[in-house]
Amino acid sequence: MKFNGFLKLRIGEAVDLKPTDFSQRHNVLFNKAAVYLDPYITVSVDEWRIGQTHTKQKTNSPTYNEDFSVNVTNGRKVELAVFHDTPIGYDDFVANCTIMFADLIGASNSDETFEGWVDLEPEGKVFIVITLTGTFVDGK
């Protein structure tokens, strides 16, 4: 199934994010007990990146409450990826999830809106609200 129409995505909060090796290494060097991330979430539809949240400082359970909107043509999936904002070099991957548009047909708790917790891999969860306005077409 492919989706054609308008997608509105709200990222509420994330919980139980696992610290990366980079963030743990920094704390071991300075003998700190707590290990926190500086996480942000990128949003992509199929292979197109449509945006990212702001970075939240020193937390493994960030609250974002940020909205993303995009017109979608022949969309198959929404991808969320959590990264740790590192001061030097590339940002560290923390977790991700893929939500297929076809899965939203049966999983939505109203005609066009899905609201709930989605599991991240390898660890964590994110609370999202997805509103779809448009049509689903068979991909055959």
Side-chain angles (χ1 to χ4, degrees):
M1 288 292 236
K2 296 179 182 177
F3 174 72
N4 291 313
F6 187 73
L7 162 73
K8 182 177 179 184
L9 168 69
R10 180 171 189 81
I11 298 177
E13 62 181 310
V15 295
D16 301 329
L17 299 178
K18 180 181 175 184
T20 64
D21 290 340
F22 180 85
S23 63
Q24 290 177 0
R25 179 178 60 224
H26 183 267
N27 283 1
V28 168
L29 287 174
F30 296 102
N31 215 12
K32 296 181 181 178
V35 180
Y36 295 110
L37 297 170
D38 295 332
Y40 65 88
I41 300 176
T42 63
V43 180
S44 300
V45 173
D46 294 326
E47 303 304 319
W48 299 96
R49 184 168 166 174
I50 62 170
Q52 77 179 43
T53 64
H54 291 91
T55 300
K56 299 297 180 174
Q57 302 295 315
K58 298 181 182 177
T59 181
N60 294 340
S61 297
T63 299
Y64 295 103
N65 293 323
E66 294 185 36
D67 295 320
F68 300 91
S69 300
V70 66
N71 284 315
V72 177
T73 303
N74 294 325
R76 294 183 181 273
K77 62 187 174 184
V78 176
E79 297 173 278
L80 305 177
V82 182
F83 291 92
H84 168 64
D85 190 3
T86 61
I88 299 172
Y90 294 106
D91 292 346
D92 287 340
F93 170 80
V94 176
N96 70 346
C97 70
T98 300
I99 303 156
M100 303 301 291
F101 281 116
D103 294 340
L104 294 174
I105 296 172
S108 64
N109 30 15
S110 74
D111 290 338
E112 59 186 32
T113 301
F114 168 82
E115 179 176 343
W117 291 96
V118 177
D119 290 329
L120 297 168
E121 293 294 331
E123 288 187 39
K125 292 182 179 186
V126 62
F127 187 82
I128 59 170
V129 179
I130 295 178
T131 303
L132 301 175
T133 306
T135 59
F136 287 90
V137 293
D138 196 356
K140 295 179 182 177

